[in-house]
Amino acid sequence: MKKFLALFAGLTAITFCEAQSTYTLEQMLDSARQNNIALRDAQYDLEAARQQRKEAFTKFFPSISGIGAWFNADKGMAKMDVNPAEMITPELGATLATVFPVEALAALSNPISMSMMKNGTIAGVNATQPIFAGGQIVNGNRLAKVGEEVANLQMQLTENEMELTTQQYFWQIISLQEKLKTIGAVEAMLNDIHKDVDVAVRAGLAMRNDLLQVELRQNEVESQRLKLNNGLSLVRLLLAQYCGLHDTAFSLIPNTDDVAMLPIKENHEQALLGTAEYQLLDKQVEAAKLQRNIAVGQNLPSVAVGAGYNYHNLMENDRTFAMVYATVSVPISDWWGGSHAIKRKRIEYQKALDQQQDKSELLQIRMQHAWNNVIEARQQLDITQRSIEQAEENLRLNRDYYRAGTIKMSDLLEAQLLCQQVHDSYTDAFADYQNKVLEYKQAVGASE
């Protein structure tokens, strides 16, 4: 345990040509929470869903509308001819003859043409309150609330994805940094071997072929260093972009106090109910049910009451009046198509129920798979930890055997290569175990 902790602790001593910032995993996660674009988009979606819920709530209140219009026609829109003689009875005519002169009575026998509403102004304010709308308003508000809850769950999943991706990049960089440390140790060892072999060749105690083998191995290690540096530079760029960092010349410090503890295995059937994925399935079923209810409501009568205050001057006089009214709307012609819409929504509701059952089973399988990965990763870590001690001891013995002249240089270099591979395998296993633990915790919905 002390050896691999010291191995990781040595990462803090890495130096570069220019001053570098150093970050821990928690610092990178904090930066990603503030700057990650995917998480920011999820927050926008949540806020949009929240506004949609507030918009739906306004449907409970009266809708108020105002209207205003002015017109000027080339002639009156209402025109009629009136013949007064047709409305005068003989008795009335005899009475009028005693009052009006003969000329006035003669004028009453001619038709009179009347024209109205050639121009005018109309204005009014009306408020309409829905009384019954087939449950569309109530169910619409419930559906909007479900949409907000779905957006919140989606943001949780985005946060999980952000945390997992950040950690994967983090441990990938740590692994590459550690492999560079291993390369440095290998280069130092090969330099020592090269000096020893060079002296032995000059003294005639070793063949020049041994020296060439060491130099070839040094070239190979130098090539590995170039590839590691290129890979490290690329992953740094990816992590910086993902976390919103402008500084790409940084190093990372792992928490190496101890290996992550083996998590407690949850009851997967119970843990399922607390996962964001299952809750999304539950919301999908609820949304399908509400949409079915809305489809039913669209084919029911709707009742509303209203009140208004209006003004017009259509009859050349200013007139104002208030009124109250009630409306009933029955979608008679829509019942035929509406019946099919209701059936379609019922099918979609049943489909949502089936998907909930199917995906719930898959989520439990995912939990078990994640647990198996944790156990396997921990076992691999233990194996590589034991292998480090064995590989280092094997290298020490082979170096002594070579100095004693009992083995060839190729055997010593093979032992050195094996030791390097074991150290690299350990760093990979360490990083993989950290990621597998997080994947399991997210799969069962466990909080950190």
Side-chain angles (χ1 to χ4, degrees), residues 112-168:
I112 300 174
S113 179
M114 301 178 60
S115 176
M116 296 179 293
M117 294 189 295
K118 182 178 183 297
N119 50 50
T121 303
I122 303 172
V125 177
N126 292 274
T128 304
Q129 173 65 54
I131 301 300
F132 176 75
Q136 294 182 70
I137 297 177
V138 173
N139 289 318
N141 273 266
R142 292 173 180 170
L143 187 60
K145 183 179 179 182
V146 170
E148 182 181 2
E149 293 169 347
V150 167
N152 189 45
L153 291 170
Q154 290 286 6
M155 191 172 74
Q156 292 181 30
L157 292 179
T158 303
E159 288 176 346
N160 288 346
E161 180 66 23
M162 176 275 299
E163 183 179 2
L164 180 60
T165 302
T166 301
Q167 178 165 300
Q168 287 173 340

Side-chain angles (χ1 to χ4, degrees), residues 23-36 39 158-174 235 238-245 250 252 435 438 442:
Y23 299 97
T24 63
L25 177 58
E26 284 304 319
Q27 289 173 326
M28 297 305 295
L29 289 172
D30 288 340
S31 179
R33 292 187 186 102
Q34 297 174 13
N35 302 305
N36 182 257
L39 185 57
T158 303
E159 288 176 346
N160 288 346
E161 180 66 23
M162 176 275 299
E163 183 179 2
L164 180 60
T165 302
T166 301
Q167 178 165 300
Q168 287 173 340
Y169 282 144
F170 180 90
W171 285 109
Q172 191 174 356
I173 291 176
I174 292 298
V235 181
L238 290 172
L239 181 58
Q241 188 277 334
Y242 196 77
C243 297
L245 296 178
F250 60 84
L252 301 178
N435 292 328
L438 179 59
Q442 290 185 351

Side-chain angles (χ1 to χ4, degrees), residues 293-308:
N293 294 342
I294 290 174
V296 173
Q298 289 173 343
N299 291 276
L300 294 177
S302 59
V303 180
V305 296

